Amino acid sequence: MKERYEVIVVGAGHAGCEAALAAARMGCSTLLLNLYIDNMALMACNPSIGGPAKGHLVREIDALGGEQARATDASTLHIRWLNTSKGPAVQTLRAQCDSRAYHSAYLNAVERTPNLDLFQDIVTEIIVSKGRVKGVKTRLGLTFTGEIVILATGTYLGGRVHVGLVNFPSGPLGQMPASELTQSLLNAGFEVGRLKTGTTPRIHAASVDWASLVPQESASEPLAFSHWSQPRVHVGHACYQTRTTPRTHEIIRSALDRSPLFTGAIEGVGPRYCPSIEDRVVRFPDRDSHIVFLEPVGGQTAEIYMQNFSTSLPFDVQVEMVRSLPGCENARFLRPGYAIEYDFLPPTQLFPWLETRIVRGLFCAGQINGTSGYEEAAAQGLLAGINAARTLRGEEPVVLGRGEAYIGVLVDDLVTKGTQEPYRMFTSRCEHRLILRHDNADRRLAPIGRKLGLIDDGRWRVLEARWESIKAEKARLEGTRVFPTEENNALLRQAGTVPIETPIPALELLRRPEVTWELLQAMVETPSSLSAEEAASLQTEIKYAGYIEREKRAVERLERIERVAVPENFDYDSVTGLSSESRGKLSRFRPLTLGQAGRISGVTPADVQILWVAVKAYHERESRKG
Ligand SMILES: Cc1cc2nc3c(=O)[nH]c(=O)nc-3n(C[C@H](O)[C@H](O)[C@H](O)COP(=O)(O)OP(=O)(O)OC[C@H]3O[C@@H](n4cnc5c(N)ncnc54)[C@H](O)[C@@H]3O)c2cc1C
């Protein structure tokens, strides 16, 4: 076994696997160290991928050449579109996966990738010399040296599990925690924080009265996440809906004195957007019911996950709570719900390419940066792996803009604002939703993935052919006329739009909000040969062309100020007119661009203007000198 690598990745969760795959695929000799190989890419919570904003991240990871969408497609049990009644900007897929198949898909990808070694051991220390990382030490007493180390330790760092008033050191799902590394990070000068997350009980499928519940079947049309997967229809694994009852709420209220959340046993801050069921009952006392989904954990197991029912109440209370839900009166438990506290590194200690500011060559990705979610983790892992390789080659790091990708929004939020609670991606965090859509991730990002060497010739040809056929279809629609026949006008009236009096280009007719793609196909002589997804993408581009153009111009305008570089060692004390709050925050967070400066909370637009003038003067002085 080698002892020297270019890149060492600590932790093979969703972030670590993507990081290692990207670095190795970009030609770096890479070592992926994991505490236990069987928990690689473990879906510690619900084995579900996607949903609003998270689905967008998965498509972006895929377009850049990452693995997550393919692992999802290889393990999907149930998939459907979400937000179909809303605008195209927020529509995306959500898949329920077989957690073991998802793990195997990542394991196979890692095992098959040249330049990549996988080894089971716990990293206990990072080796740092003169502000640069030099490698890692492990529990077995091994030393691996490397120019880049990527930390992707998830919820394992200093992990402590709580079930009622019982608590003990542990990783998720009974895994071993990683306890010693935190001290090494503190010794290196990092600030370390504490967060918490929680999960739901798991019950046995045979103990649920399915006939009394409402099923939600997988989509009837073929679907897939990856741009390169064959879309499929999935049958046989419905998700089911039940709800909490007044009795559930009563049980919860009467047990709050034994809740680690409410008695102060848990210090870490939990996710506000994804609260435990006890938290919901306390925060929304007027609601007497909350929806709970019962979802399969795998195709070969009877284990059922209870979405929206995360809890850390004592086990005896959990049993009563679960059995108060319709359909679950006789539920048998396979695993209890629990909360887990863990250490994280506040992400304002990072550059926007995910390298730490304190120790050069050390990168962080995933939950260690304060995020929550498989998709958020994988997105950061991919970026960290890419930037590890670019750093080694002496190339500029990749930093995606807020107008370019959800990944750009995610990283920018983390490094400029930090986070006080587990950060999750939402569509509302993104200012340019209409141009950052699920359907156009390939056009936005695949050219970058291709340049980085992460998209091979075969996959690139598939995309080129797709873009070509969409372009050809658009031209065809421009040249195709719809005639004012009786049948066509009857269809238009039926759709609630005015009939036509003269022949009209099909593309123009499609701009009408009432005219759907399907309706148009019924009015033209030769129907389109585009796939449903290609057609939906073209339709959005046509219907929203005006808005999309306006949004693109807004992004371009912002880019001008966004990209103005602020020197890392800029002396904010020398700038007159800055408020003392802004001066303090700018000195602490050290933004690298004016755009980042403006997004630091407490830095006002007026202060950004003052800073702009000062930075311009600085650059002019420097260019006169140079
Ligand atoms: C209880 C619980 C509830 C959750 N709830 C949700 C939720 O509701 N919604 C949601 O989106 N996400 C949820 N998650 C979060 C989701 O599981 C994580 O965000 C995601 O797994 C983070 O990915 P990661 O790659 O950063 O870390 P992880 O997936 O945790 O992977 C870290 C990996 O690093 C390894 N490792 C750690 N330290 C070391 C070391 N020192 N040496 C070697 N190997 C090491 C571990 O063995 C593990 O394989 C939950 C997680 C838990 C545990």
Side-chain angles (χ1 to χ4, degrees), residues 11 13-15 34-35 39 45 54 121 123 153-154 156 172 178 198 367 373-374 377:
H14 313 266
N34 203 47
L35 184 151
N39 80 5
C45 200
K54 285 169 171 275
D121 201 352
V123 171
T153 51
Y156 291 69
Q367 197 118 0
Y374 313 124

Side-chain angles (χ1 to χ4, degrees), residues 10-16 33-36 39-46 54 121-124 152-157 172-173 175-176 178 181 197-199 274 305 338-340 365-368 371-378 424:
V10 182
H14 313 266
L33 285 161
N34 203 47
L35 184 151
Y36 184 45
N39 80 5
M40 250 184 78
L42 177 77
M43 300 176 113
C45 200
N46 191 4
K54 285 169 171 275
D121 201 352
I122 301 186
V123 171
T124 50
T153 51
T155 48
Y156 291 69
L157 259 198
L173 294 177
Q175 302 287 317
M176 221 182 309
L181 187 56
T197 184
T199 192
C274 191
Y305 178 88
Y338 63 90
I340 185 167
Q367 197 118 0
I368 190 173
T371 58
S372 166
Y374 313 124
E375 304 82 351
E376 289 83 348
R424 177 185 166 173

Side-chain angles (χ1 to χ4, degrees), residues 124-146:
T124 50
E125 195 180 326
I126 50 163
I127 307 167
V128 181
S129 171
K130 298 190 184 122
R132 278 209 75 83
V133 75
K134 297 290 174 190
V136 298
K137 291 190 176 171
T138 75
R139 191 175 61 167
L140 285 179
L142 305 178
T143 297
F144 294 100
T145 56

